[in-house]
Amino acid sequence: MPLDPPTMLTISIALAAAAALYLAIEWRSIREPSLLFWSAGFATITVGSTLALLRSNGFLLIGIWFANGLLVTAHFLFLLGVARFTQIRLPRAWYLIFVTWLVMLLLPDGPLWSKVMLAANSLLVAASTLKASFLLRPHGKSLSVGAVQLRYVLLGHGMFYVAKALTVMIPGTLIDLAAFRGEIIQISLVEGAMAIMLIALSMTGTERYRREEQIARLAARDPLTALYNRRALEVRAPRLLQDVSPTRPGALLLIDIDNFKLVNDQYGHTAGDRLLVALSEMIRAESPDEALAARLGGDEFVILLNNAPSERIVTLGDTLRDQFQRTAIQAFPTSEPVTLSIGATLFNTPPASLAALIEQGDAALYESKRGGRNRLRLTGLTTSG
């Protein structure tokens, strides 16, 4: 089968329809808005390419102006999808693209009509595509493999349309949109089919990687407090612990809420959850950036630090105790005070295991509770409220 223009358009129609359907199915399963925009973009290409076939039957307004307008619309939908994916608001001025395309209806018929139409179409497509590629730049954060691939596919696609627009200025260039005549039109049809495949694959990979990343992130977090869970702590702790030395001592704080059951019994488990969330926010706000904080379960939390001398640990523990006690008294007054007991252990060499370190912290926590609660128990040092 010869790769004449109608054949290439037919191939593009099939590829775009398949991409639109696949991305729509993906959207139905995960409801990510960017997928819906991208699916709509490929559906628009399907319709536009189908209408382009009509130009050979003399329907030039529909087959050229309207069909190419749909191509511009499709790439604008791609841009909207990328903007939604990157959570960047697109200025309203970008909608002037459609005003520009409407102006093309005022072009007089003549020998230059095809060239001007081709140049305008190419530049409008390039504008949306290159902007989408620009939005996908890293911004100081690592991109997924799919997003990087999509960025460069869009960049290459946009640069092709810039080059396509520039060809109209080459003397003697044949461009006949009505009859699909001219080398640049032939090349464009081939590039279009290839671009559909590459863009669709990149978009699919981009969203799949993000979904897998979100699943992994959720699996590492406690669903109530959004702190790490114990399994995530065990995975991340070795990297922090290996930096411990006599000049950069490490510390583990094991935190438990005193009389937490009174809150649940008197105010309900929803109130207890609110108190747990409040404590997690305090831990997140007061802990150093390099610290690891996790909820081990129930009302037990842990903070793991390096470069943590005893003075720093005492300050951190006392700050958490004071803040938490004030919050608990104001929000949920009880017959006995709801406070924090903290067991802390210092070490200047990497421990045998995180489990062994937690056992030491648990022993210090037990001493804190036995000493009257609302205390920080640190090896060789006890402070009380």
Side-chain angles (χ1 to χ4, degrees), residues 29 32 83 115-116 145 150 166 182 184 189 194 208 232 241-242 299 333-334 356 360:
S29 64
E32 173 58 47
K115 287 192 174 184
V116 176
V145 174
L150 178 59
L166 295 176
I184 187 60
L189 290 171
M194 295 176 59
R208 182 180 295 117
L241 294 176
Q242 69 183 5
D299 59 341
T334 54
Q360 296 177 35

Side-chain angles (χ1 to χ4, degrees), residues 275-324:
L275 200 57
L276 292 173
V277 171
L279 176 56
S280 70
E281 291 173 351
M282 294 175 198
I283 291 173
R284 206 168 3 245
E286 298 299 331
S287 299
D289 292 339
E290 67 276 10
L292 292 176
R295 181 187 179 198
L296 296 184
D299 59 341
E300 194 170 53
F301 297 78
V302 64
I303 305 175
L304 186 62
L305 311 93
N306 59 13
N307 193 22
S310 59
E311 296 83 2
R312 189 180 188 185
I313 299 305
V314 171
T315 300
L316 174 59
D318 288 347
T319 299
L320 290 175
R321 288 193 306 107
D322 292 343
Q323 288 185 4
F324 182 80

Side-chain angles (χ1 to χ4, degrees), residues 115-126:
K115 287 192 174 184
V116 176
M117 181 68 71
L118 180 73
N121 173 265
S122 299
L123 290 176
L124 293 177
V125 168

Side-chain angles (χ1 to χ4, degrees), residues 1 4-22 39-56 63 67 70-71 78 180 188-197 200:
M1 181 172 60
D4 54 17
T7 300
M8 291 305 304
L9 277 174
T10 302
I11 293 173
S12 296
I13 292 168
L15 291 173
L21 180 61
Y22 182 77
S39 176
F42 282 114
T44 304
I45 290 177
T46 303
V47 176
S49 297
T50 302
L51 295 178
L53 290 170
L54 297 177
R55 70 181 68 177
S56 58
L70 289 180
L71 183 65
F78 291 161
F180 292 111
S188 182
L189 290 171
V190 175
E191 190 275 343
M194 295 176 59
I196 288 172
M197 290 189 294

